[in-house]
């Protein structure tokens, strides 16, 4: 790619390179944004094969299969290579033409592909068979020396996964489970969801712990509110009980005062004024302390 860009003026080459870097960086994270950068690069340098290839992959990632196929064809004319033959066939599938994809799988160009390219071509051909409802034929298409090999290559996990998926579509669940497990063993980069497929076959359901915590929170708040209401009701009961006690105390003090006054008058003594000996401290003062809720573990 660097040699291709060197054919451009320096400033233009730098602008194109920056856009191609953004395409490569965003293609897996934000395909739509990557597509936008690819269109900028395409306007700047449409005669550069690397630009046409990047534009093709950005279109392919956003399911613009007709655009992608046109860009890949242009790149192939410029370079004369067949490296993009499998993805071109998959574009035919994306456009609803699985028969055309199968024709490309039997073309002479396939023999010029390296081993990885031939595996990709098998994956596309098997997908085309499944598009046509030929699930058993898809299983046979994927049976190859690469599938039987115990060696692990960058494409091994995907090949085993596709084979397991084809077996499942053909109703061979036990064999499918075996090959999903083999795919998981080879999936060092996490390129497949083989672990999830195994869990589904085993009837395992995953539950988000945070969802349960959110459901329990309102109930916990309600329980705390009930506790506070209970304390408030208890405080009312204490106040009512103290008021009744005060009435009894005042009545007793009144009778005692009458007896003392009578005794003083009989003795000719003027008597001392009555003194209220009731403790003026509020017996409910402890309720002014802040109420502390019991600690709850809401994280499950």
């Amino acid at each position: 790619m660097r040699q291709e860009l060197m054919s451009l003026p320096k400033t233009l080459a730098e602008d194109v390179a920056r856009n191609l870097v953004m395409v490569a960086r965003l293609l897996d994270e934000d395909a739509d944004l990557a597509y936008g950068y690819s269109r900028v690069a395409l306007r700047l340098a449409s005669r550069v094969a690397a630009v046409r290839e990047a534009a093709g992959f950005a279109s392919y990632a956003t399911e613009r299969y007709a655009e992608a196929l046109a860009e890949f064809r242009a790149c192939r004319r410029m370079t004369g290579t067949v490296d993009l033959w499998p993805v071109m066939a998959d574009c035919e599938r994306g456009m609803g033409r699985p028969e055309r994809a199968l024709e490309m799988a039997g073309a002479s160009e396939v023999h010029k592909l390296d081993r990885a390219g031939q595996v990709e071509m098998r994956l596309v051909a098997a997908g085309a068979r499944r598009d046509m409802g030929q699930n058993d034929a898809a299983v046979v298409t994927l049976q190859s020396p690469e599938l039987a090999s115990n060696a692990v290559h960058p494409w091994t996990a995907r090949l085993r996964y596709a084979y397991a998926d084809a077996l499942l579509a053909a109703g061979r669940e036990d064999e499918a489970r075996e090959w999903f497990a083999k795919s998981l063993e080879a999936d060092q980069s996490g390129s497949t969801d083989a672990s999830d497929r195994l869990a589904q076959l085993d009837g395992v359901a995953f539950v988000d712990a945070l969802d349960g915590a959110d459901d329990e929170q309102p109930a916990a708040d309600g329980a705390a509110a009930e506790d506070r209401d209970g304390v408030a009701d208890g405080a009312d009961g204490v106040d009512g009980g103290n008021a009744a006690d005060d009435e009894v105390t005042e009545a007793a003090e009144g009778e005692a005062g009458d007896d003392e006054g009578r005794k003083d008058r009989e003795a000719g003594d003027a008597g001392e004024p009555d003194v209220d000996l009731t403790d003026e401290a509020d017996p409910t003062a402890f309720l002014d302390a802040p109420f502390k809720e019991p600690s709850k573990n809401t994280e499950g």
Side-chain angles (χ1 to χ4, degrees):
M1 182 179 69
R2 180 174 298 179
Q3 292 180 347
E4 295 179 34
L5 293 178
M6 288 178 62
S7 64
L8 302 174
K10 182 178 180 181
T11 303
L12 179 59
E14 291 176 352
D15 290 341
V16 173
R18 279 194 290 267
N19 281 279
L20 293 181
V21 167
M22 294 305 296
V23 172
R25 182 178 300 173
L26 295 169
L27 195 59
D28 293 333
E29 300 177 3
D30 191 336
D32 289 324
L33 190 55
Y35 175 79
Y37 281 105
S38 73
R39 304 311 289 181
V40 174
L42 193 60
R43 287 197 299 269
L44 294 174
S46 61
R47 296 185 179 182
V48 176
V51 172
R52 304 303 289 263
E53 182 177 346
F57 277 109
S59 298
Y60 179 81
T62 55
E63 299 183 1
R64 295 176 170 92
Y65 297 115
E67 286 185 20
L69 184 57
E71 299 301 335
F72 290 143
R73 283 174 174 170
C75 182
R76 180 167 177 262
R77 286 195 301 270
M78 293 177 181
T79 61
T81 64
V82 295
D83 294 344
L84 297 173
W85 193 255
V87 71
M88 291 170 62
D90 206 37
C91 287
E92 296 285 359
R93 282 188 60 212
M95 296 168 64
R97 301 191 298 220
E99 298 88 351
R100 175 59 183 154
L102 287 176
E103 291 177 9
M104 294 180 67
S108 60
E109 282 83 355
V110 176
H111 300 291
K112 301 177 184 179
L113 295 170
D114 59 13
R115 192 177 183 189
Q118 291 181 358
V119 170
E120 291 296 330
M121 197 69 247
R122 281 186 178 276
L123 292 172
V124 173
R129 291 291 185 187
R130 292 189 59 183
D131 292 342
M132 299 168 65
Q134 301 173 3
N135 294 323
D136 292 328
V139 171
V140 174
T141 299
L142 292 171
Q143 292 173 348
S144 62
E146 291 82 9
L147 181 67
S149 174
N150 291 324
V152 176
H153 300 278
W155 36 260
T156 301
R158 293 176 53 245
L159 178 60
R160 293 177 179 179
Y161 182 94
Y163 187 61
D165 203 29
L167 286 169
L168 189 61
R172 298 158 64 175
E173 184 173 318
D174 292 339
E175 295 176 78
R177 192 194 183 288
E178 176 186 351
W179 281 96
F180 277 129
K182 291 182 178 181
S183 174
L184 182 60
E185 291 176 359
D187 194 0
Q188 301 173 353
S189 61
S191 59
T192 72
D193 63 344
S195 60
D196 293 340
R197 300 297 297 275
L198 278 172
Q200 291 175 0
L201 289 175
D202 292 339
V204 177
F206 295 98
V207 179
D208 191 346
L210 294 178
D211 293 341
D214 293 340
D215 294 339
E216 292 175 2
Q217 187 63 35
D221 293 342
E226 291 179 1
D227 290 343
R228 287 191 291 270
D229 292 341
V231 171
D233 293 341
D236 293 339
V238 171
D239 291 340
N242 288 335
D245 292 342
D246 291 343
E247 292 177 0
V248 173
T249 301
E250 290 175 0
E253 289 176 351
E255 293 178 358
D258 293 341
D259 291 341
E260 290 293 333
R262 187 163 48 253
K263 291 178 181 179
D264 291 342
R265 285 193 296 273
E266 291 174 354
D269 188 358
E272 296 294 332
D274 295 338
V275 178
D276 185 3
L277 300 178
T278 304
D279 187 359
E280 295 180 356
D282 184 1
T284 64
F286 74 94
L287 294 175
D288 294 333
F291 174 67
K292 296 182 179 179
E293 295 182 18
S295 61
K296 300 181 179 65
N297 182 5
T298 60
E299 295 181 358

